[in-house]
Amino acid sequence: MTDSTDLIPAPLSVEGPYRCGFLLDRRTTLYAAPGTEDTERWLRTTLGAAFALPLRSTDDENATRSVRLRIDDALAPEAYRLHVLINEVVEIVGGGPAGVFWGAQTLRQLLGPDAFRAAPVKKKPVAALAAQTIEDAPRFGWRGLMLDVSRHFTAKDDVLRLLDLLAAHKLNVFHFHLTDDQGWRIEIERHPRLTEAGSWRARSKWGHRASPLWTDTPHGGFYTRDDIREIVAYAAERHITVVPEIDLPGHSQAAVAAYPELGNTDVVDTAALTVWDTWGVNPNVLAPTEEVLRFYEGVFEEVLELFPSPFVHVGGDECPKDQWKASPAAQARIRELGLADEDELQSWFIRHFDRWLAARGRRLIGWDEILEGGLAEGAAVSSWRGYGGGIAAAEAGHDVVMCPEQHVYLDHRQAPGEDEPMPIGYVRTLEDVYRFEPVPPGLSEEAAAHILGTQANVWTEVMENRSRVDYQVFPRLAAFAEVAWSALPAPEARDYTGFERRMDSHYRRLDALGVDYRPPSGPLPRQRRPGVLGRPLEGTPPNV
C-alpha cells in the first residue's frame, strides 16, 4: 500500500489517511455511472490483470466492497474527488469522464507498485487502502509531451505504451511530430509516394551531426491510416488528445524527395534529393506555389479525417529563406502577393493554412517562428526558443503552449558526467525540470490567461530506440507532470527534497512498468554510448 503523500503529481488536498477502509480482492465489484464506462474498462484491464481479479460489474450504486465511479458536474471537468470509505468502498467522483479517469490513476498509485504490473507477483494478490479523501484538479488544461517519430521511427506498440505512461502521469496531450526532413511517417492515400519513398532513408548519422559515425542500416517506417485510427482511439480512451504535426514550409525534404515538384526547382535539382540522413536545419524548403498549397490541402484533408483534435500543428520553424531569395519564381510570388520580404512569404504560408483550418472548425498551432512576418488572428504558438515568443504571442492575444528548449527539452542531457549517452545541450536535471515555471513572471493577468499550458519535447536524433527514449524522458517526465498538474509555489520555494522522497515510490512504479529510466546514481553500463559524439553546452542556459 502506498501512502497518499507519495502521489505524483501531488494532489490539491488529502484528508487522512485513517484506519483501513478498503480491501481489493476477489469480492470487489465495479459500479460505473453513465459516462464512466471507459474508466471501468481501464480499471478492469489494469487492476484486474495486476491482481488477477474479475472486478465484476454491479448495478447497485450503493454496493459495498465496490469501486464506485460517478460524475458530478459541479466539479471542473478534469477535477476529481476520491473517497476511501470504511465500509470497503472506494468512490471516485469526477467533474466529467476525464476527472473520473484521473481519479482512477490516483487509485492505482495508492494500491502500490504491484498495481503497475501486467500479472500478479504474489500468491494472494490483494491490496488494502486506508480511509481518506483526496481532492484534486489540474492547474493547466494542456499538459503535453511531443514525440518526434521522424528522426527515429517509433513502432505503433511503443506509441501505445507511451500513451499509457502519459496517462499514468495525468498528461493529456500527445503532440505527434509525424513529418520532417528525415522521414514522412503517416500514410496519405492520395499521395502514396510520401510513404513509399519518403518514409525510408539509406543510412543515419550516429550521434550528433558533427559525429563522423554512421549506421548504414536503412531506417524507416510509417503508420497506416488504421494505425493512426488505433492510436487516436487508444489515446481517447485515456482522455489524451493527439495533436498531429505536418511540417511546412521548412523541414520538408522527405516530402520533396517523394514529390520533387514541391521544391524550388528553379534553384536546386530537387529530383536528385533523397530523404535526409543527417540532422540539423535543412535548406530544402517548399516552393511558394498554388500547386504546393493544393498538395498540402489534400494532406490536411486526410489528417483532419484521422485526428479529431481541435488543434493541428503545422511546424513553421527553422525555415531557411536562401532558396526563396535565389528563386526567380519565389521573388515573383513575393511581388505578386504584395509582400515585403521572405519572412512575409513564410507568414503567407501559415496564414493560408490558418484560414483553411479555421474554415473546417480547427485551429492552427505552430512553433514560435510563425510570429515572424505577422501571425493570423486565431493561431496559437508553441514557444520553444525560450519564453520570449510565448510572451509576445500572449501579450498580442494569442494562445500559447510553453515548451522552452532551455527548460523542458528532454533530449538535453541530465548530468554533466562523461557517461551520459550522446550528451546534447545544457544540463537539465530532475530538479531543474521540477523548478520550471510555465507562466513567466511579469506577464500581465490578461496575457497569462492565454497560457493554455505546457509541454515537454522529445527530439529523437540521438534516440535510436525505445530504451533511449525511456532514458531521456524518465524520470524527468514525473517532475514535469507535477509542474503541469499541481498547484506548486514559486520555483525557488518548491519542496524538491519532498519530491525526491516521493520519487522513491515512483521509481518502483516505473520498475514495474519496465521503464528504462536514468537511475539517480547515473547511467547503467548498458545505457552509455562511449565514443559517440554529442554536443554538450556548458553553463546555465539563457533565460530568454
Side-chain angles (χ1 to χ4, degrees):
M1 180 173 67
T2 297
D3 192 294
S4 54
T5 60
D6 286 340
L7 295 173
I8 289 178
L12 275 175
S13 69
V14 178
E15 183 182 333
Y18 307 111
R19 60 193 177 90
C20 185
F22 177 78
L23 187 70
L24 182 75
D25 60 17
R26 296 194 65 80
R27 301 169 297 174
T28 303
T29 60
L30 287 175
Y31 169 75
T36 68
E37 295 85 359
D38 54 352
T39 299
E40 179 190 22
R41 286 191 296 273
W42 182 84
L43 284 169
R44 188 170 289 114
T45 299
T46 55
L47 300 187
F51 296 102
L53 300 176
L55 296 179
R56 300 181 184 88
S57 297
T58 178
D59 294 328
D60 181 2
E61 62 179 300
N62 297 310
T64 56
R65 296 173 179 165
S66 183
V67 177
R68 303 173 185 166
L69 309 175
R70 309 180 194 276
I71 289 176
D72 179 357
D73 57 16
L75 298 173
E78 289 193 281
Y80 69 89
R81 185 169 54 246
L82 188 153
H83 294 295
V84 182
L85 306 173
I86 58 174
N87 59 341
E88 293 194 49
V89 167
V90 172
E91 186 172 77
I92 300 173
V93 181
V100 176
F101 183 70
W102 304 133
Q105 294 289 348
T106 295
L107 172 63
R108 190 187 193 189
Q109 288 197 21
L110 290 172
L111 291 169
D114 286 351
F116 291 80
R117 295 194 176 275
V121 295
K122 295 184 174 69
K123 290 184 178 179
K124 292 185 177 180
V126 297
L129 290 182
Q132 59 194 291
T133 298
I134 297 172
E135 304 257 3
D136 205 4
R139 180 185 178 191
F140 292 109
W142 186 301
R143 307 180 303 279
L145 179 79
M146 187 225 70
L147 179 67
D148 162 28
V149 297
S150 179
R151 276 52 177 262
H152 280 100
F153 180 65
T154 299
K156 182 196 69 178
D157 285 352
D158 289 339
V159 174
L160 301 180
R161 170 184 178 266
L162 183 60
L163 291 169
D164 278 327
L165 291 169
L166 297 189
H169 292 84
K170 298 187 174 74
L171 298 175
N172 68 344
V173 175
F174 178 54
H175 176 169
F176 208 5
H177 183 81
L178 288 162
T179 75
D180 217 297
D181 301 300
Q182 294 85 0
W184 185 285
R185 305 294 180 213
I186 177 173
E187 178 187 25
I188 302 297
E189 285 186 334
R190 71 190 71 187
H191 302 308
R193 282 188 56 78
L194 286 172
T195 47
E196 289 171 0
S199 69
W200 289 92
R201 60 180 183 261
R203 61 175 187 167
S204 302
K205 178 65 73 172
W206 181 232
H208 183 257
R209 62 180 176 269
S211 168
L213 304 177
W214 296 86
T215 52
D216 290 322
T217 302
H219 180 84
F222 66 92
Y223 308 100
T224 68
R225 290 165 58 86
D226 281 346
D227 290 338
I228 294 291
R229 292 185 180 100
E230 181 182 357
I231 288 167
V232 169
Y234 195 85
E237 282 273 312
R238 287 147 183 80
H239 299 276
I240 296 170
T241 299
V242 183
V243 176
E245 180 178 353
I246 305 296
D247 245 316
L248 61 86
H251 286 293
S252 298
Q253 182 160 318
V256 175
Y259 291 93
E261 63 272 22
L262 297 175
N264 294 282
T265 56
D266 56 346
V267 294
V268 65
D269 180 9
T270 57
L273 294 177
T274 60
V275 176
W276 211 27
D277 56 13
T278 188
W279 326 127
V281 179
N282 188 292
N284 293 297
V285 302
L286 297 176
T289 67
E290 290 296 322
E291 291 75 18
V292 167
L293 297 184
R294 300 294 88 75
F295 183 97
Y296 273 84
E297 286 171 359
V299 168
F300 281 117
E301 283 178 6
E302 296 193 28
V303 168
L304 297 193
E305 178 190 338
L306 295 168
F307 294 91
S309 165
F311 286 95
V312 175
H313 209 290
V314 300
D317 62 315
E318 296 180 330
C319 178
K321 311 299 192 298
D322 297 340
Q323 289 186 359
W324 291 346
K325 290 176 181 177
S327 164
Q331 291 302 308
R333 190 67 157 155
I334 288 173
R335 292 191 296 272
E336 174 192 344
L337 295 168
L339 304 176
D341 55 23
E342 291 77 18
D343 283 345
E344 287 196 5
L345 187 59
Q346 176 169 338
S347 179
W348 168 80
F349 258 109
I350 301 302
R351 286 174 180 270
H352 174 85
F353 286 103
D354 178 76
R355 292 190 299 270
W356 190 92
L357 288 167
R360 290 154 181 80
R362 307 295 183 96
R363 290 186 65 190
L364 180 146
I365 186 169
W367 303 111
D368 54 57
E369 286 96 329
I370 68 173
L371 291 163
E372 298 167 4
L375 184 57
E377 184 177 343
V381 169
S382 301
S383 187
W384 77 272
R385 290 181 293 180
Y387 286 115
I391 292 171
E395 294 285 5
H398 296 281
D399 288 339
V400 173
V401 176
M402 280 293 186
C403 49
E405 175 185 18
Q406 302 84 356
H407 300 276
V408 288
Y409 267 36
L410 301 185
D411 43 299
H412 283 209
R413 58 192 173 132
Q414 303 184 64
E418 293 183 2
D419 288 337
E420 292 303 308
M422 298 190 233
I424 300 296
Y426 294 100
V427 171
R428 293 287 84 192
T429 65
L430 184 66
E431 181 173 0
D432 290 329
V433 174
Y434 189 67
R435 297 193 189 280
F436 164 60
E437 173 49 50
V439 180
L443 200 63
S444 70
E445 185 176 338
E446 183 180 359
H450 284 288
I451 306 298
L452 298 176
T454 185
Q455 178 174 292
N457 293 337
V458 183
W459 301 101
T460 61
E461 288 94 336
V462 297
M463 294 180 227
E464 72 278 9
N465 56 36
R466 186 178 89 180
S467 289
R468 281 288 293 121
V469 172
D470 277 5
Y471 179 91
Q472 291 298 135
V473 172
F474 294 97
R476 292 183 295 183
L477 193 70
F480 173 79
E482 184 147 309
V483 168
W485 177 279
S486 303
L488 297 177
E492 64 276 5
R494 293 176 188 171
D495 180 13
Y496 179 69
T497 300
F499 176 77
E500 277 190 306
R501 179 192 58 75
R502 286 183 286 126
M503 281 300 299
D504 289 342
S505 294
H506 203 64
Y507 286 122
R508 294 196 292 275
R509 298 175 194 129
L510 297 178
D511 287 334
L513 288 166
V515 176
D516 200 11
Y517 60 85
R518 181 189 188 276
S521 58
L524 301 171
R526 61 176 171 74
Q527 293 173 322
R528 300 166 188 159
R529 296 291 187 277
V532 183
L533 187 67
R535 183 175 175 262
L537 299 175
E538 302 303 333
T540 303
N543 192 25
V544 294

